[in-house]
Amino acid sequence: MKSEITMPVLSDTMQTGRLTRWNKAVGEAVKQGDAIAEVETDKAILDVEAFASGYLAGPLAAVDTDIPVRQAIGYIVDTREAAQNNPSSPPSTTVKNSRDVAEPTATAPVPPAPVSETRPDRAVSAPPAKAASAAPIAEHMDGAPPAPTVARSATATDNAQTSPYARALARDLELDIQSIKPGPDGIIHAAQVLAAALAPKDADLHMGPPYTIERPNMLRAAVARNMSATLDTPTFHISSRFAMTPLHAAAKQAGIGLTLALSRACALTVAEDPWFNHTWTQAGLAKRSRVDIGIAVDTGEGLITPVIRNAASRPLKELAEDWRILLGKVKNGRIAPEDYRGASFYLSNLGVFPEVERFNAIVPVGAAAILAIAAAGPDGLTDFTLSCDHRVIFGADAARFLQRLGSRLEDIFWLN
């Protein structure tokens, strides 16, 4: 019996995972639950566990490749002999599935798609790295029909495949097919061509210094996508300056960190004004029933926002323990999607950098506000800047929020 090991789906938005390591070799025995591989997602490196006992068999997906979710990356078989009789590396040209099967073959010019407006949720990268190693693994099951073939473009990037319709569409839109990044399955479809047509154009680097293109890690790429998605948010900023000395002293006496104390202060203030716990959706205002605070953390490789759940209602000791565990996960690269998604209010504290007098933070998708905290000035006051989604929060709302927060930072009885 031969069973697939597939790229796991680790979050609702995950389309690909980057295989970073095989912990077992072909022919090696595995037990159910063994960590047989490691996968890098947009936020962390997670284990791929064996779903059954047996022996690891090829073809194995190559390390350091981006692989679509639910795509086979290897196999488990019943005997060592069967494992050793399978190839250890994936085929280079066969594609398991094609999403272009239903696309028409272009026999006449296709009208160009309107490009007067850019879409921030569509992005095209600089010329892609070779995609051969990232091609999906093909495995025809006994009795199954062969996968549909996809025509190869004579002008496509080395080792990239292009559907006939996508090739015709790129020609009609006057796009260089070599500059278009393939889809998660390693193929350039019509969707990738349209995304390239609608995306903001890359800078022309040819007249500047020599350069090379480096593929970003999954975390940095995810941050770039998330920041681009916020361009549709109509944002305004409002600032105030508060003394932090009372909170510093109270947090030290309570045995908690300043960031956690600030998070608690924000959560209590949000709870007093539910507008700051809403978010705008196409269907209407989403009104949340609890305050979940996302706190920006610098990992050294990018930005991540661990979330403290129900931060306004739970005991401080519980929140402190949760925060300790979250920071440990961040440090070890083991934070999971449920640890960093879904905050209703955000906090970004750059107060540890004395040079930062004031800054504006970007309102993340799914929230209505984020509070940016700078370093204390020579007069002992710290700048607090609130960035707000103007569809949900108005100027007077933001002013009252800062007013209540300032009072809370002076009278810290709530921290006991």
Side-chain angles (χ1 to χ4, degrees):
M1 181 178 177
K2 184 177 183 180
S3 303
E4 290 184 344
I5 305 166
T6 59
M7 175 62 67
V9 182
L10 301 171
S11 71
D12 293 340
T13 58
M14 180 176 170
Q15 294 183 339
T16 63
R18 186 169 297 174
L19 182 64
T20 59
R21 176 180 174 181
W22 282 104
N23 298 327
K24 300 282 187 177
V26 168
E28 195 170 345
V30 297
K31 294 181 180 179
Q32 184 176 1
D34 281 354
I36 54 178
E38 290 183 352
V39 170
E40 180 185 358
T41 69
D42 56 355
K43 301 292 184 182
I45 295 178
L46 302 174
D47 292 329
V48 177
E49 295 184 356
F51 56 88
S53 299
Y55 297 85
L56 184 64
L60 300 182
V63 170
D64 197 30
T65 58
D66 295 337
I67 301 167
V69 296
R70 300 188 180 91
Q71 174 67 52
I73 60 174
Y75 299 86
I76 292 178
V77 295
D78 293 335
T79 65
R80 190 186 306 273
E81 292 73 19
Q84 293 173 340
N85 287 334
N86 279 276
S88 59
S89 59
S92 59
T93 57
T94 311
V95 177
K96 184 173 182 181
N97 292 303
S98 170
R99 292 181 297 171
D100 273 332
V101 176
E103 289 182 354
T105 301
T107 57
V110 179
V115 293
S116 59
E117 231 178 82
T118 59
R119 288 285 306 277
D121 58 335
R122 305 242 182 206
V124 61
S125 71
K130 291 187 177 182
S133 60
I137 301 172
E139 185 69 20
H140 295 307
M141 302 303 290
D142 292 341
T149 58
V150 177
R152 180 177 175 81
S153 168
T155 60
T157 304
D158 288 349
N159 296 316
Q161 295 175 306
T162 307
S163 75
Y165 182 54
R167 188 166 60 252
L169 187 60
R171 182 178 62 249
D172 291 334
L173 294 175
E174 299 181 353
L175 295 177
D176 180 6
I177 200 73
Q178 292 185 348
S179 68
I180 299 175
K181 183 180 178 180
D185 56 3
I187 304 171
I188 299 173
H189 300 276
Q192 282 74 52
V193 176
L194 290 174
L198 294 170
K201 302 305 177 186
D202 286 336
D204 184 357
L205 304 177
H206 294 90
M207 299 302 293
Y211 67 93
T212 58
I213 297 295
E214 178 180 285
R215 183 178 61 169
N217 62 29
M218 299 287 281
L219 172 56
R220 190 167 291 275
V223 170
R225 289 194 302 271
N226 293 340
M227 294 302 100
S228 296
T230 66
L231 293 178
D232 282 338
T233 303
T235 305
F236 73 92
H237 310 285
I238 184 170
S239 298
S240 191
R241 306 183 73 217
F242 303 124
M244 294 276 285
T245 305
L247 186 65
H248 269 285
K252 184 176 181 180
Q253 184 176 0
I256 64 172
L258 180 63
T259 297
L260 181 61
L262 285 167
S263 302
R264 177 69 158 195
C266 289
L268 293 172
T269 308
V270 169
E272 291 176 349
D273 188 347
W275 284 104
F276 284 84
N277 213 38
H278 296 351
T279 191
W280 186 266
T281 73
Q282 292 183 357
L285 283 170
K287 304 172 70 172
R288 269 74 74 96
S289 59
R290 68 169 190 246
V291 182
D292 289 355
I293 301 290
I295 304 171
V297 173
D298 177 25
T299 68
E301 294 292 334
L303 179 69
I304 196 168
T305 53
V307 180
I308 298 180
R309 308 290 178 185
N310 202 10
S313 301
R314 295 167 57 208
L316 256 178
K317 288 185 178 180
E318 285 187 14
L319 301 182
E321 179 62 12
D322 282 2
W323 186 234
R324 184 190 67 80
I325 293 172
L326 286 169
L327 290 179
K329 289 182 177 182
V330 172
K331 181 179 179 180
N332 296 322
R334 296 290 173 175
I335 193 164
E338 59 268 21
D339 296 324
Y340 58 79
R341 294 189 185 276
S344 55
F345 184 90
Y346 285 84
L347 175 69
S348 180
N349 181 15
L350 292 181
V352 295
F353 299 97
E355 300 80 7
V356 179
E357 297 179 353
R358 172 181 294 186
F359 72 103
N360 299 332
I362 297 174
V363 181
V365 174
I370 181 172
L371 184 65
I373 303 171
D379 56 0
L381 298 180
T382 298
D383 186 89
F384 285 64
T385 300
L386 194 63
S387 301
C388 305
D389 182 346
H390 215 329
R391 297 171 299 184
V392 182
I393 297 169
F394 301 148
D397 301 323
R400 284 189 288 267
F401 180 94
L402 289 176
Q403 192 176 54
R404 285 191 292 268
L405 180 62
S407 298
R408 184 162 273 115
L409 295 180
E410 292 178 1
D411 186 357
I412 41 76
F413 70 92
W414 50 270
L415 202 57
N416 297 327

